[in-house]
Amino acid sequence: MSYFPEVTAKIKYEGKDSKNPLAFKYYNPEQTVAGKTMRDHLRFSIAYWHTFMGGGQDIFGLPTFAHSWHHSSDPLDRAKHTLAAAFEFFEKLDVDYYCFHDRDISPEGSTFAETQKNFEIIINMAKDLQQSSGVKLLWGTANLFSHPRYAQGAGTNPNAHVFAYAAAQVKAAIDATHVLGGENYVFWGGREGYETLLNTDMKHEQTQFARFLHMAVDYKKKIGFEGQFLIEPKPKEPTTHQYDTDAATTLSFLREYDLLDHFKLNIEANHATLAGHTFQHELAVSATAGKLGSVDANRGDTLLGWDTDQFPTNLYDTTLAMLVILEQGGLGSGGLNFDAKPRRTSIDDIDLFYAHIGGMDAFARGLLAAQKIIDDGVFSRFISERYASYQSGIGKDIMAGNFSLEKATAWIAENGEPTRKSARQELLENILNQYI
Amino acid sequence: MSYFPEVTAKIKYEGKDSKNPLAFKYYNPEQTVAGKTMRDHLRFSIAYWHTFMGGGQDIFGLPTFAHSWHHSSDPLDRAKHTLAAAFEFFEKLDVDYYCFHDRDISPEGSTFAETQKNFEIIINMAKDLQQSSGVKLLWGTANLFSHPRYAQGAGTNPNAHVFAYAAAQVKAAIDATHVLGGENYVFWGGREGYETLLNTDMKHEQTQFARFLHMAVDYKKKIGFEGQFLIEPKPKEPTTHQYDTDAATTLSFLREYDLLDHFKLNIEANHATLAGHTFQHELAVSATAGKLGSVDANRGDTLLGWDTDQFPTNLYDTTLAMLVILEQGGLGSGGLNFDAKPRRTSIDDIDLFYAHIGGMDAFARGLLAAQKIIDDGVFSRFISERYASYQSGIGKDIMAGNFSLEKATAWIAENGEPTRKSARQELLENILNQYI
Amino acid sequence: MSYFPEVTAKIKYEGKDSKNPLAFKYYNPEQTVAGKTMRDHLRFSIAYWHTFMGGGQDIFGLPTFAHSWHHSSDPLDRAKHTLAAAFEFFEKLDVDYYCFHDRDISPEGSTFAETQKNFEIIINMAKDLQQSSGVKLLWGTANLFSHPRYAQGAGTNPNAHVFAYAAAQVKAAIDATHVLGGENYVFWGGREGYETLLNTDMKHEQTQFARFLHMAVDYKKKIGFEGQFLIEPKPKEPTTHQYDTDAATTLSFLREYDLLDHFKLNIEANHATLAGHTFQHELAVSATAGKLGSVDANRGDTLLGWDTDQFPTNLYDTTLAMLVILEQGGLGSGGLNFDAKPRRTSIDDIDLFYAHIGGMDAFARGLLAAQKIIDDGVFSRFISERYASYQSGIGKDIMAGNFSLEKATAWIAENGEPTRKSARQELLENILNQYI
Amino acid sequence: MSYFPEVTAKIKYEGKDSKNPLAFKYYNPEQTVAGKTMRDHLRFSIAYWHTFMGGGQDIFGLPTFAHSWHHSSDPLDRAKHTLAAAFEFFEKLDVDYYCFHDRDISPEGSTFAETQKNFEIIINMAKDLQQSSGVKLLWGTANLFSHPRYAQGAGTNPNAHVFAYAAAQVKAAIDATHVLGGENYVFWGGREGYETLLNTDMKHEQTQFARFLHMAVDYKKKIGFEGQFLIEPKPKEPTTHQYDTDAATTLSFLREYDLLDHFKLNIEANHATLAGHTFQHELAVSATAGKLGSVDANRGDTLLGWDTDQFPTNLYDTTLAMLVILEQGGLGSGGLNFDAKPRRTSIDDIDLFYAHIGGMDAFARGLLAAQKIIDDGVFSRFISERYASYQSGIGKDIMAGNFSLEKATAWIAENGEPTRKSARQELLENILNQYI
């Protein structure tokens, strides 16, 4: 049985002039770029929640999709069909990784025990499918934001009972990720924040949350899970103010609570712009701190104030993102996970293929452009000349900590006003356009 | 000679029904609130740049104000008149503190030496005026953003020569602040950031900037300056991305570069909202970290995307701000500095009085409301009940670090689903309205 | 049987010092303000969808409310319980009006005929309840945005079949509103707009939509429905770009398509701020055009980019809104409809009472303040002096159309530079604070 | 004497692989696209204010540019040098058009008469330079926002004296534009709006403004000026709320005051995004109304809240803009005016060349892509199929006004639920990427 009968074979690379909507125009998995295949550079991953569980609903409208894998009225049966459809999709799209939340992949039962039982059944099935297909788990995570019990937070919930519930759920999700050989495990704190300070003890909540993460770190060590722990920053939505607002805020929290060694960041494009930053900025902040772990590859709409989770097709974004990624030596155990959904008016299953193909091609173009930029050295040469004065003289002293306000005063008394130099932003932007 | 002949006496408190635009309706300096005078609670300060140097210009328009103290064509003479006008204003408004940038209070000369000479003359005059009036310096700072040499940053400038110039300027500004008995010294990095990553080495710039601040810390110790060092976060404007975006980001930077012990934060209302946060959020983040040093009391317009620096008149803002301040035990060596300017259509000198009176009354009302909220204990009682589950049982274990994912799983197996409880936001907002 | 057993009697006015959360502190329905009762000034209305149908879900979370009137598993039975609960709520809260969408009040059936049958049953029940309670219908409307068939628009749908479906649904909703004596009928076009211009013919869609509205106007006349037709502007959400973005845009559309005589506007506070305007601005634009028909009284969060639909508690907003409303001579057949919902963490039925009481008190305070402002004439006097030059001389000529560029040139040659005058914004803001 | 000695010859087209920063890579003026040269399609224009008068100042910083044409201390002499530099720039850049404000091109004198005298001298010089160079005037305008007299508006000023001053200034600016053969005349109302409704009579101001524009229309007819009148929408900045917020709002105003026949719109990219719209949206709204007159070609930063006026380099923007322009049959008497400025750190005169070259190439690429999109017919075919149901049956009846709510009800009773169809947004976005 096939869930995607319209796609009769693996999607293939056909080159940039192809008019076949079901072909890659730029993504050529085995093509080598700077000694590594595109496949290994890009490490594409499918987001289980959007692609297989998304229904096209929005806050003003009911689901619009009617996927065949959702037809069964029995939740567990539906979950099995969904998983089978997912692996058919992975193979037809020729993608190596996927990501899930515990509650996407298997249904909540009426008790904790039943929920765990469901989860176990599905995880076993996923293990078999991974084995037979070769598809791997990029990361697992626990959904600690959808159920009403988490409305006031999970690790930051004012009720210790909820904290414990969340902790139990995380244990199971880490276990599952471990069983499936997941290369990372993600924490996204959609409810870890506050709605109003009138009812909130911010210090208490942040301390709780640090305890929560330390417990996860301890457990990881105990069971020997080698995957990377990742935190995914987001500023707001659903919660008015989330504690892990952006990369810098999250790093500050990790530093304050002695968690920095145990976590990297999972940066999402749309979360970056909601925080008032560019995607490239959040990637660069993370990479600069040695903490860029993985990427949620999507696109927001900066004229809208919510997470639109559109597929990434903007070539400026993909090129500049790949530039940061290549400069830090690649994604490591991370990947490019399409945390993106078709618009709710794209109601056909085939639209899922179109959407992912577009995103994959856009990142492939970004990779090619970024590698060429690096090879040509245009920007890097400009930058090293721009900061050259720190390689010798007082510049060298400054960087080495051998300078002082008094020395500066004496030196300026002698040397006077500096000569100014153009920063050439427009010229550099023109050059960038030559690579797009 | 008087610069403000229309104001013939000190502004007085006349009570809330007064129709006199030149009287306080709520601010009664010697009135005691919880054992301290309003004067001592609020520690109002006048911002030299806006109040005496502001011309009403904006990016599309020329100056509209024609202050009598600016009539002289000689820069130093103009600076002296301005200083004299300032002290007349402080005394007539009955305010105890002021703040300045080096280049507001004294003019840039054609050489570094001439600039310093000007500065020295004016600082001496200020010292005399402080002595005769009893007015004190809340903080001094160096303007490292207006002069073209700083267009690409001061401490983060890619040219070490500019870095040295800035360092020399900061030395002089700290010296002056020290001489004048300033209670704090502020760093605001309006150009410490980047315009485009195409030409920027973010890591290099941040390392430079840390060196810059360490040099200031060393110098402070050396000369025995006891004032508090403050950093003032702002996300953007003038620079597209500033490194000290908001309180959390700044704390992260201070932690990373081992500067946390030496700095507190100066939080500005308008900078908070430009960063996508409420004023109260930024105050609370700072206070929670023990780092709320001082406040730039103004108001932005959240429907506009730039620093409007309006006078603070919103009673919700002033009440919630005073709540955070009272709960942390007051402003310490900091104050409420009116970093605010009249609209450019408020062209009369008397508008400066109206504007400040409005801001002072708004904070006086905020103080009275906040103290009553504390006395009544409504919110604090609600909050302690809300988190009560962390006082015993597993909650206590969690906070003490005696809990684990395995314990959580066992505990939930026994205790099942938590009971949910309303967070009562609407009721709390209604109660807040009873205090406004 | 009672759905709100905790509220044992009608909510009463107890005065501003009451600590009873279930009492009005300011809203005193029979108190007379400028010759009219508060009840008649404010014409409060309850929004059926949020108050009785809202479940507390958000885009990341499941429903959190568990209202007793939703317990039945039969949709029609559930609808009946809901209606009964609604009228109990109206009476206990002592509110005279309500509003509904067709699909809030009665369930969609499996065919159009079944849906209409359900609707008829419920409308009959509503008619009886109105009669027995004295509660009236402020407005009815059709939900043309939730069902998947409307994902690409209703009146603007590219498929004429959907257009016809929407038209049939609107006929039934107008009929129902007519039967129930509704004083207005509202059109809100949540899907009337576009997601991307790549697939959109904007001109075609707007022409369609004008046809749609003309059909409604024709039908209204035909059946003799005397209620006012209202359009409710909103800029985006759910649709990326909605054609009725704000008041001015909607007026432009009505003018272009010869619909201006037949419609007024229903202005919502949160929609105003999402469009980048203040609530007062949108009210004033509408009132200035003689087109302010009714108000959706809620509050947004200008730091968030979506419709938060919070209860209106900001006294600045309610005062300035009431000022516009009083100055236009009241709300006419419109009202203040609480298009607002408790936060999803306010899970108790009693929170619905708290929330509405807070909103009603906030508008009562706004009414009292606004009337006092009008009585004192402070702002109006300032404004008439400010424009006084247009009452005589060239000003009068200008307004009468008796001036020209040549006359201006001659007049300026003689009269030269104008004298400038302060616009006194800060002073006026201080005065406003004396009324809050 | 040369102002741009570094540029020794006209900028030439060298093709896309050129590394010469002073060459066009895509803009090939005489290359024919769909029967018209690129030059005639694009009608590039230079903005006098930014390119020759801009100093690099921002609200926090002094000018950073030191153009040789600004060295003279005599204002009129400086104006002459500037004009000479401008024409050298036009010719070296091979651009056919320019635009100016009266006060950019010639200095304000100490009296109205002196100002006019200055203006006349410079306009005569411009006339000669136009004749000798062949460069033409795209549009002229009056600066009614920089001088303090206009702080409270020009046509909307509460003082009739200021209104008259503005009218006199507009007469002179129209005269000058007429003398120079300007093809359009622009009104941008940067101060035509309000700061606070506390001191504003919105209706009075809008009526005034309509009078102002009618006077200009009358004068235009009288002197036989054949150029097109244009209004340029902008939502805010400098004024908190400007009356000509966006295209739809401006069209509404023109309709209300019987001005629609006399004006078209000048759409600026950065103003569009400040209004919360895309550039393409504002172009399409204008074109749909037959009112797209001209374009201010620049680019904003949607993460910043002010007019950054960057050079247009985003190929998505230029392609989609050219698509609207080509579909309406070209720019008519309008053009693509670079209302853009180099960043203040781009301090060299040569940066002006880099910046414009980049913008010209970006629009040339946009033109080529847009024409190919039209030739291939991909989007247009999709759109006509999408709305095909309106070509016959009930769809045709709807568009012809032969449908009614009753007919709809009967038709739906027979035809039931519509079939839904994918809107294919992702596929269309992928196809667009193939043209970038």
Side-chain angles (χ1 to χ4, degrees), chain A residues 93-110:
Chain A
L93 193 63
D94 196 10
V95 159
D96 301 328
Y97 289 98
Y98 74 113
C99 302
F100 66 78
H101 299 82
D102 49 2
R103 293 298 83 84
D104 309 326
I105 207 166
S106 94
E108 183 105 22
S110 57

Side-chain angles (χ1 to χ4, degrees), chain A residues 412-432:
Chain A
I412 288 298
E414 230 173 279
N415 292 276
E417 194 67 28
T419 306
R420 295 185 293 123
K421 230 178 134 176
S422 172
R424 295 274 187 261
Q425 182 167 335
E426 291 77 18
L427 178 59
L428 297 171
E429 289 170 345
N430 294 352
I431 293 171
L432 175 64

Side-chain angles (χ1 to χ4, degrees), chain A residues 294-332:
Chain A
S294 197
V295 174
D296 268 14
N298 64 12
R299 157 179 138 244
D301 181 330
T302 54
L303 298 175
L304 299 179
W306 65 92
D307 216 355
T308 62
D309 280 351
Q310 292 170 260
F311 275 84
T313 56
N314 189 298
L315 299 173
Y316 293 96
D317 289 347
T318 58
T319 301
L320 295 172
M322 288 313 303
L323 201 51
V324 176
I325 289 167
L326 290 174
E327 281 171 349
Q328 81 155 8
L331 284 161

Side-chain angles (χ1 to χ4, degrees), chain A residues 205-328:
Chain A
E205 294 203 354
Q206 296 196 347
T207 308
Q208 285 175 232
F209 195 49
R211 287 293 181 203
F212 193 82
L213 295 177
H214 272 295
M215 283 164 52
V217 168
D218 292 345
Y219 185 68
K220 179 190 168 186
K221 281 184 203 157
K222 189 169 168 189
I223 64 170
F225 173 55
E226 305 268 322
Q228 174 68 50
F229 271 5
L230 299 169
I231 292 192
E232 180 170 328
K234 189 178 183 188
K236 47 196 168 191
E237 200 209 16
T239 303
T240 299
H241 191 93
Q242 295 176 206
Y243 294 131
D244 47 9
T245 292
D246 59 8
T249 301
T250 306
L251 293 171
S252 185
F253 172 81
L254 294 174
R255 278 192 182 98
E256 183 172 1
Y257 289 99
D258 200 22
L259 287 157
L260 193 64
D261 290 348
H262 308 294
F263 289 86
K264 288 190 171 178
L265 303 183
N266 184 37
I267 296 300
E268 175 174 324
N270 203 155
H271 294 182
T273 53
L274 285 171
H277 306 302
T278 60
F279 182 26
Q280 191 193 7
H281 172 80
E282 286 290 272
L283 293 170
V285 167
S286 306
T288 289
K291 292 291 173 189
L292 176 52
S294 197
V295 174
D296 268 14
N298 64 12
R299 157 179 138 244
D301 181 330
T302 54
L303 298 175
L304 299 179
W306 65 92
D307 216 355
T308 62
D309 280 351
Q310 292 170 260
F311 275 84
T313 56
N314 189 298
L315 299 173
Y316 293 96
D317 289 347
T318 58
T319 301
L320 295 172
M322 288 313 303
L323 201 51
V324 176
I325 289 167
L326 290 174
E327 281 171 349
Q328 81 155 8

Side-chain angles (χ1 to χ4, degrees), chain A residues 149 152 157 160-161 194 199 205 208 222 241 252 255 281 386-387 389-390 399 406 416-417 421, chain B residues 149 152 157 160-161 194 199 205 208 211 222 241 252 255 281 386-387 389-390 406 416-417 421:
Chain A
R149 83 176 69 87
Q152 301 182 35
N157 199 290
H161 194 143
Y194 66 84
N199 65 16
E205 294 203 354
Q208 285 175 232
K222 189 169 168 189
H241 191 93
S252 185
R255 278 192 182 98
H281 172 80
R386 194 168 176 237
Y387 296 86
S389 66
Y390 289 93
M399 295 313 281
E406 297 101 312
E417 194 67 28
K421 230 178 134 176
Chain B
R149 81 176 72 87
Q152 300 181 36
N157 200 290
H161 193 143
Y194 67 85
N199 65 16
E205 295 203 354
Q208 285 176 230
R211 288 290 181 207
K222 190 171 170 186
H241 192 94
S252 185
R255 280 194 182 97
H281 173 80
R386 195 169 176 237
Y387 296 86
S389 66
Y390 290 93
E406 296 100 314
E417 194 67 28
K421 230 179 134 177

Side-chain angles (χ1 to χ4, degrees), chain D residues 84-263:
Chain D
F87 276 81
E88 183 184 339
F89 186 82
F90 304 151
E91 295 188 70
K92 287 189 168 171
L93 192 62
D94 196 10
V95 159
D96 300 327
Y97 288 98
Y98 73 113
C99 301
F100 66 78
H101 299 83
D102 50 2
R103 292 298 83 84
D104 310 325
I105 206 167
S106 94
E108 183 105 23
S110 57
T111 63
F112 184 75
E114 189 186 317
T115 301
Q116 296 318 312
K117 181 77 189 154
N118 289 342
F119 194 35
E120 202 181 311
I121 292 167
I122 294 295
I123 292 303
N124 282 334
M125 180 174 161
K127 200 177 171 185
D128 292 346
L129 285 165
Q130 287 189 195
Q131 230 139 19
S132 60
S133 66
V135 171
K136 289 162 284 183
L137 180 63
L138 186 67
W139 48 262
T141 189
N143 176 330
L144 304 176
F145 49 88
S146 293
H147 194 281
R149 82 174 72 87
Y150 297 126
Q152 301 181 37
T156 61
N157 199 289
N159 183 352
H161 194 143
V162 179
F163 180 104
Y165 205 105
Q169 195 176 327
V170 164
K171 179 186 174 297
I174 293 175
D175 286 341
T177 303
H178 190 33
V179 162
L180 296 177
E183 303 188 16
N184 307 272
Y185 181 89
V186 164
F187 294 83
W188 173 61
R191 306 282 178 197
E192 311 296 20
Y194 67 85
E195 292 289 326
T196 172
L197 287 172
L198 294 180
N199 66 15
T200 302
D201 182 338
M202 195 195 279
K203 180 74 184 172
H204 198 282
E205 294 202 354
Q206 296 196 346
T207 309
Q208 286 176 228
F209 194 50
R211 288 290 182 206
F212 193 82
L213 295 178
H214 273 295
M215 284 165 50
V217 168
D218 292 345
Y219 185 67
K220 178 190 169 187
K221 281 183 202 158
K222 191 170 168 188
I223 64 170
F225 173 56
E226 305 268 322
Q228 174 67 50
F229 272 4
L230 299 170
I231 292 192
E232 179 171 329
K234 188 179 183 189
K236 46 198 170 189
E237 202 208 14
T239 303
T240 299
H241 191 95
Q242 294 176 207
Y243 294 131
D244 47 9
T245 293
D246 59 9
T249 302
T250 307
L251 292 171
S252 185
F253 173 83
L254 295 173
R255 280 193 182 99
E256 181 172 4
Y257 289 99
D258 200 22
L259 287 158
L260 192 64
D261 289 348
H262 308 293
F263 289 85

Side-chain angles (χ1 to χ4, degrees), chain D residues 407-429:
Chain D
K407 282 186 192 172
T409 303
W411 195 87
I412 288 298
E414 231 173 280
N415 292 277
E417 194 66 29
T419 306
R420 296 184 293 124
K421 230 179 133 175
S422 172
R424 295 273 186 262
Q425 182 166 335
E426 292 75 18
L427 179 60
L428 297 171
E429 288 171 347

